[in-house]
Amino acid sequence: MNGLANTDLAPGAGPADSPCVAAEAGPRVRLPHDLPIFLVGMMGAGKTTIGRGLARVLGREFIDLDHELEARCGVRVPVIFEIEGEGGFRKREAAALDHCTQRRGIVLATGGGAVLAPENRRLLRERGVVVYLRASVDELFRRTSRDRNRPLLANPDPRGTLCDLMARREPLYEEVADLVVDTGTMPVSHLVKSLLPLLQAYEKNP
């Protein structure tokens, strides 16, 4: 294989085909704005799980940026890394981020390294409400140690890699964050519930 496809989803693709799946029916909580909500944080911080729960309660569409990339390229993230390296992956990630962050009324789970590019950080800050989901290295390692879909951790010392990544990325998460939430071992439903009043009270400065 010499390269990857770079096409958007076909028009009319349904929920089964698209990573942009509408939230399931259930109790709704309304926010005083339709600004998109962007979740940032390390791999294993719970961005996808918490994002789905938050979107469900808010009645919003949920988008996972990695899944968006996989739908565009037709292969899984580790394959993109294998073929194009991290540099190629980051270029595709930046293009997908630019596209997705322009949409109102969504909940977007970004990839752990999406904050590395200054332009990505600018778009996140300017276009929506950024929530940093923070977790300790020990908790991140516990959650990711058996996950084979983490190319950056495919080495003999994944815990050490997590420590290095955290040291480099945490200042960037804090730079873009409007809100910071510690995930810890709290159940997802409790985390979502704790986030709602923060989002309802938050006012984004122009």
Side-chain angles (χ1 to χ4, degrees), residues 1-5 73-85 92:
M1 187 178 296
N2 298 320
L4 300 177
C73 297
V75 296
R76 302 297 299 275
V77 165
V79 179
I80 303 175
F81 266 78
E82 181 182 348
I83 295 172
E84 298 186 346
R92 291 179 179 273

Side-chain angles (χ1 to χ4, degrees), residues 3-75:
L4 300 177
N6 194 23
T7 56
D8 290 328
L9 293 174
D17 304 310
S18 169
C20 308
V21 179
E24 297 174 7
R28 296 287 188 261
V29 173
R30 298 186 69 86
L31 297 182
H33 58 76
D34 68 345
L35 288 171
I37 298 167
F38 306 139
L39 304 182
V40 303
M42 288 284 290
M43 63 183 85
K47 298 184 295 294
T48 297
T49 306
I50 294 168
R52 287 188 189 281
L54 186 61
R56 185 177 302 115
V57 172
L58 295 176
R60 291 188 171 202
E61 183 178 36
F62 171 74
I63 303 174
D64 182 293
L65 194 61
D66 282 349
H67 294 172
E68 173 79 5
L69 276 169
E70 291 175 344
R72 287 172 172 230
C73 297
V75 296

Side-chain angles (χ1 to χ4, degrees), residues 7 12 38 59 137 146 153 161:
T7 56
F38 306 139
V137 169
R146 297 182 181 178
L153 299 184
T161 299

Side-chain angles (χ1 to χ4, degrees), residues 39-42 44-47 50 130-137 139-140 143 166 170 173-174 177-195 198:
L39 304 182
V40 303
M42 288 284 290
K47 298 184 295 294
I50 294 168
V130 185
V131 180
Y132 170 26
L133 299 179
R134 186 167 56 190
S136 69
V137 169
E139 186 64 23
L140 295 171
R143 297 174 187 173
M166 175 73 89
E170 186 161 41
Y173 297 139
E174 293 174 344
D178 297 305
L179 302 169
V180 179
V181 176
D182 289 297
T183 60
T185 58
M186 187 183 297
V188 171
S189 60
H190 292 184
L191 281 166
V192 170
K193 187 176 181 179
S194 69
L195 255 174
L198 299 177

